[in-house]
């Protein structure tokens, strides 16, 4: 392996056991991490070309090889150091990961005669370990054009499908197991059992990853890092920044200054509500900054969502520089960056995953940022952050708030961002929120909001023809935002939302409902 291969990032908290997930660029890599965390086993995504010595020195309990879009027999395809397969650490290869390991251990991989994609019936041949406690036939999710054509004599088949005779395998002497299907996706209904079997029956994990120990460790690490200096925290009022601010405040007390920036891209009355809520809670040194005009000027004429994010990120830093200029000894900026932000922006894992979008917390920041970053939530998922918030005693009114994108309504106003279009969206979004909460279904939803589309449609209002804007309503169910399904809202509720928006929001004559899941879509439109 090249000497320039990256080393794995250090764990943010002392975990007695952890699992390394080597990322080969699968769209599902983050889902593997999420499913492992659900088993109370700490894990991290690391680049496929990680230095093997550095990785093994951290003592992973197990290694999982993700899927990926490449073909293992193509020149330049991602490879791992073969010694990782012979190090005595249990390894599970998924799709590309299985094919790569089979190739490195003497097998052959070729294009499949019949490409498999979607739900597939799978017959279990051996249920002794990896496929323990599964029925003889299960449904699995396939997504591959290649497959293992031949195994060395050191392998045993564990499962097959009609078109894939080696749907699951294990090595006779090495602790390697492979599955051609994707156990991490919801479309493999018994996939959690497969991962559980690997983690606990094969790798011997204990499942002792807990949030209370994380809080203690994070507070101690923040205190040691900051020493006697000061920290500024970007407090948006959302779950992530509220938890970060509380963690840092617990660690260093009054040496934390929180700054709330009204960028003009917030929901209706949100700036006033956030300032009131956190000032009434007391204890935090909170400053409010009205920078709406500056942000809107920076966004004038911009339609590309990535450009929006970059400009908002840059302006955010400039506002911060000005606000904290007179505060002595500011050395750190605390941010609520989460693991999905890191994964989707490719800023930390360094793997081949396609960039989905730049998140404002991890993208768009200039290199001359005058502060060092403190990101105590950088390796956590949203539901884990909420668990930390409960450990810290934060109320449900903060913990159960809907996730809100860092760039705010700029990425829900599809197309150019103007004061007039923002005003339309705010009114429509307030209707969606009010009607969903009045119907008593908000507790089952991850997010629900309005999106203003850059199209107009013909309508009839009264006796006249109209040519006005279209609003899309988005409501999804999810546990962590990594995957999501569109919510089956009652027809009466949708009708009420549409009637109110068209009747009360000037400039809108049509409402549509978004039926897209994640994947293939994202929760936000931009």
């Amino acid at each position: 392996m090249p000497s320039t291969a990256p080393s794995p990032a250090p764990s943010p908290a002392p975990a007695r056991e952890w699992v390394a997930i080597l990322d080969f660029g699968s769209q599902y890599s983050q889902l593997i991490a999420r499913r492992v965390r659900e088993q109370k086993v700490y894990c991290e995504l690391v680049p496929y070309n990680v230095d093997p010595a550095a990785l093994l020195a951290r003592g992973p309990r197990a290694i999982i090889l993700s899927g990926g879009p490449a073909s293992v027999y193509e020149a330049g395809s991602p490879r791992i150091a073969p010694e990782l397969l012979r190090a005595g650490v249990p390894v599970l290869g998924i799709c590309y990961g299985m094919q790569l390991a089979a190739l490195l251990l003497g097998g052959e991989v070729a294009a499949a005669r019949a490409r498999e994609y979607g739900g597939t019936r799978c017959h279990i041949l051996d249920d002794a370990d990896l496929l323990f406690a599964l029925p003889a036939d299960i449904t699995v999710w396939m997504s591959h054009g290649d497959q293992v054509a031949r195994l060395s004599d050191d392998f045993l088949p564990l499962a097959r499908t009609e078109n894939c005779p080696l749907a699951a395998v294990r090595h006779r002497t090495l602790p390697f197991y492979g599955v051609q299907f994707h156990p991490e996706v919801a479309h493999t209904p018994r996939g959690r059992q497969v991962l559980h079997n690997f983690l606990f029956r094969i790798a011997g994990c204990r499942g002792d990853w807990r949030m209370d120990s994380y809080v203690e460790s994070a507070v101690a690490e923040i205190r040691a890092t900051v020493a006697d200096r000061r920290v500024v925290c970007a407090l948006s009022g959302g779950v992530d920044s509220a938890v970060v601010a509380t963690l840092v405040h617990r660690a260093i007390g009054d040496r934390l200054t929180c700054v709330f920036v009204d960028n003009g891209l917030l929901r209706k009355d949100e700036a006033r509500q956030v300032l009131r809520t956190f000032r009434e809670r007391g204890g935090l040194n909170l400053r409010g900054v009205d920078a709406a005009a500056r942000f809107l000027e920076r966004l004038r004429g911009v339609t590309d969502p990535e450009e929006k994010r970059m400009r908002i990120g840059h302006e955010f830093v400039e506002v911060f520089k000005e606000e904290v200029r007179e505060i002595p000894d500011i050395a750190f900026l605390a941010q609520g960056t989460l693991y999905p932000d890191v994964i989707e922006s490719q800023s930390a894992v360094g793997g081949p995953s396609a960039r989905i979008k730049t998140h404002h917390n991890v993208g768009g920041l200039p290199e001359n940022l005058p502060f060092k970053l403190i990101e105590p939530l950088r390796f956590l998922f949203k539901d884990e952050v909420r668990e930390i918030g409960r450990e810290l005693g934060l109320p449900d009114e903060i913990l159960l708030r809907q996730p809100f994108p860092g760039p705010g309504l700029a990425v829900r106003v599809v197309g150019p961002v103007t004061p007039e279009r923002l005003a339309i969206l705010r009114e429509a979004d307030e209707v969606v929120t009010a009607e969903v909460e009045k119907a008593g279904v908000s507790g089952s939803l991850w997010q629900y909001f309005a999106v203003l589309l850059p199209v107009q449609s013909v309508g009839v209002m009264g006796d006249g023809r109209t040519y006005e804007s279209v609003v899309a309503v988005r409501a999804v169910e999810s546990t962590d935002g990594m995957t999501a399904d569109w919510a089956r809202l009652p027809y009466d509720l949708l009708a009420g939302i549409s009637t109110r928006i068209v009747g009360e929001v000037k400039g809108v004559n049509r409402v549509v409902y978004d039926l897209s899941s994640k994947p293939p879509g994202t929760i936000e439109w931009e």
Side-chain angles (χ1 to χ4, degrees), residues 168-475:
V169 302
R170 72 172 176 87
H171 197 276
R172 292 177 185 270
T173 58
L174 299 176
F176 173 79
Y177 295 78
V179 290
Q180 182 60 66
F181 57 87
H182 289 272
E184 69 273 22
V185 303
H187 304 295
T188 300
R190 304 300 292 269
R192 283 180 172 83
Q193 182 66 45
V194 175
L195 292 173
H196 180 89
N197 289 339
F198 174 72
L199 294 170
F200 292 92
R201 292 182 62 86
I202 295 169
C205 293
R206 293 181 297 273
D208 55 7
W209 170 241
R210 297 289 185 273
M211 288 299 103
D212 53 355
S213 62
Y214 189 95
V215 170
E216 295 174 7
S217 174
V219 168
E221 184 175 340
I222 292 167
R223 189 175 291 140
T225 301
V226 174
D228 60 351
R229 289 169 291 181
R230 300 186 64 87
V231 179
V232 62
C233 177
L235 183 64
S236 69
V239 178
D240 308 335
S241 64
V243 170
V244 165
T246 306
L247 270 175
V248 176
H249 186 260
R250 177 171 290 191
I252 65 171
D254 292 341
R255 283 182 289 116
L256 168 69
T257 299
C258 295
V259 177
F260 171 75
V261 177
D262 180 2
N263 57 13
L265 306 170
L266 303 176
R267 290 165 288 200
K268 188 174 181 179
D269 296 328
E270 188 166 21
R272 178 178 56 81
Q273 293 169 1
V274 168
L275 290 171
R276 184 183 69 242
T277 296
F278 284 92
R279 283 173 174 161
E280 287 178 355
R281 280 186 55 79
L284 293 181
N285 178 13
L286 176 60
R287 299 183 174 208
V289 183
D290 183 359
R294 292 178 54 168
F295 279 87
L296 290 177
E297 180 60 30
R298 289 278 286 168
L299 291 170
R300 183 190 297 272
V302 178
T303 59
D304 179 74
E306 283 293 282
E307 182 67 19
K308 290 179 183 178
R309 283 184 163 82
M310 296 294 285
R311 292 194 179 207
I312 290 169
H314 280 280
E315 193 64 27
F316 170 79
V317 172
E318 292 304 313
V319 170
F320 250 70
K321 285 181 181 178
E322 296 173 13
E323 183 63 22
V324 304
R325 189 169 292 156
E326 298 181 1
I327 305 175
D329 303 322
I330 290 290
F332 298 92
L333 169 63
Q335 287 197 141
T337 307
L338 302 190
Y339 207 22
D341 302 338
V342 174
I343 295 168
E344 291 189 350
S345 296
Q346 277 193 286
S347 67
V349 296
S353 299
R355 186 178 70 179
I356 298 170
K357 59 188 177 184
T358 299
H359 285 262
H360 81 294
N361 280 347
V362 290
L365 297 177
E367 294 181 358
N368 63 344
L369 183 70
F371 318 112
K372 295 180 180 179
L373 290 180
I374 292 179
E375 297 175 307
L377 312 181
R378 187 178 183 84
F379 290 88
L380 301 182
F381 291 91
K382 178 72 76 172
D383 57 325
E384 293 172 327
V385 173
R386 287 197 171 104
E387 286 186 50
I388 287 183
R390 292 188 179 93
E391 288 287 333
L392 294 170
L394 292 175
D396 283 349
E397 65 184 81
I398 294 175
L399 296 179
L400 299 183
R401 289 192 71 190
Q402 288 190 67
F404 189 62
L409 298 182
V411 292
R412 293 181 182 173
V413 172
V414 181
V417 180
T418 66
E420 295 76 20
R421 300 191 76 211
L422 285 169
I424 291 174
L425 179 57
R426 285 194 182 97
E427 295 300 323
D429 188 71
E430 185 180 42
V431 169
V432 173
T433 299
E435 290 298 308
V436 166
E437 294 179 354
K438 184 175 70 174
V441 300
S442 60
S444 64
L445 302 178
W446 177 260
Q447 282 178 263
Y448 43 97
F449 54 88
V451 179
L452 184 63
L453 305 186
V455 296
Q456 292 182 301
S457 71
V458 173
V460 177
M461 302 179 75
D463 293 324
R465 176 186 182 275
T466 62
Y467 190 60
E468 295 181 331
S469 296
V470 179
V471 164
V473 175
R474 180 75 159 143

